[in-house]
């Protein structure tokens, strides 16, 4: 039987590299591991870490096609980040000018969560726990 060890990374393609770089590093606080410009592809690749663990590859490409998100589109739905206090995390995003949905409670776990979007409308979640 196949044995997976852990999720290695999540790849995200953005439409405005500098805007998304600012969002993921300055607002969400992910750490830059390395940044590479690939001239042959006219593309940046930004490797980001969370608490020292590699988690996101942020790519820029010229004219990427839009991907529908709402209503709920088929495929990968969202990326969720665990936080200690969802109210504090929500307040920090709102202070940075990010629109955040009202906090809800997971009916199965009793834990609080909320959704917001990155600059390209990618759904992101803060989940308490």
């Amino acid at each position: 039987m196949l044995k997976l060890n852990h999720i290695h990374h999540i790849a995200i393609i953005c439409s405005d590299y500098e805007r998304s770089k600012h969002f993921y590093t300055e607002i969400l606080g992910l750490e830059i591991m390395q940044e590479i410009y690939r001239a042959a592809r006219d593309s940046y690749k930004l490797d980001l870490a969370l608490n020292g663990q590699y988690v996101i590859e942020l790519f820029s490409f010229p004219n990427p096609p839009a991907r529908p998100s709402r209503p709920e589109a088929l495929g990968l739905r969202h990326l969720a980040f665990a936080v200690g206090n969802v109210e504090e995390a929500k307040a920090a995003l709102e202070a940075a000018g990010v629109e955040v949905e009202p906090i809800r409670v997971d009916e199965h776990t009793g834990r609080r969560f909320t959704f917001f979007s990155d600059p390209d409308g990618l759904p992101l979640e803060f989940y308490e726990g």
Side-chain angles (χ1 to χ4, degrees):
M1 172 181 249
L2 176 66
K3 180 182 180 288
L4 302 177
N5 293 331
H6 57 85
I7 293 174
H8 187 266
H9 70 272
I10 296 130
I12 298 172
I13 298 172
C14 62
S15 65
D16 181 325
Y17 179 72
E18 290 301 325
R19 181 179 66 170
S20 291
K21 178 181 174 182
H22 172 80
F23 178 81
Y24 283 98
T25 61
E26 301 299 321
I27 295 175
L28 292 186
L30 298 177
E31 309 146 30
I32 296 174
M33 296 177 69
Q34 82 174 332
E35 182 176 35
I36 301 167
Y37 179 71
R38 303 172 311 169
R41 294 183 176 191
D42 189 20
S43 169
Y44 279 95
K45 178 181 180 283
L46 184 65
D47 295 333
L48 299 170
L50 177 61
N51 300 318
Q53 183 178 356
Y54 176 53
V55 291
I56 292 179
E57 288 179 339
L58 183 66
F59 290 99
S60 69
F61 291 107
N63 306 309
R67 178 176 297 177
S69 178
R70 289 184 173 78
E72 301 278 347
L74 180 65
L76 184 62
R77 171 65 184 110
H78 65 268
L79 172 60
F81 295 98
V83 296
N85 184 305
V86 76
E87 287 175 356
E88 290 175 5
K90 180 180 188 292
L93 284 183
E94 290 172 335
V98 177
E99 186 176 326
V100 184
E101 292 182 4
I103 294 172
R104 294 183 268 167
V105 176
D106 184 315
E107 64 186 77
H108 302 290
T109 66
R111 296 186 186 244
R112 298 180 305 161
F113 65 96
T114 188
F115 283 94
F116 56 101
S117 296
D118 84 346
D120 287 306
L122 175 68
L124 301 173
E125 177 183 8
F126 282 154
Y127 194 91
E128 203 164 66

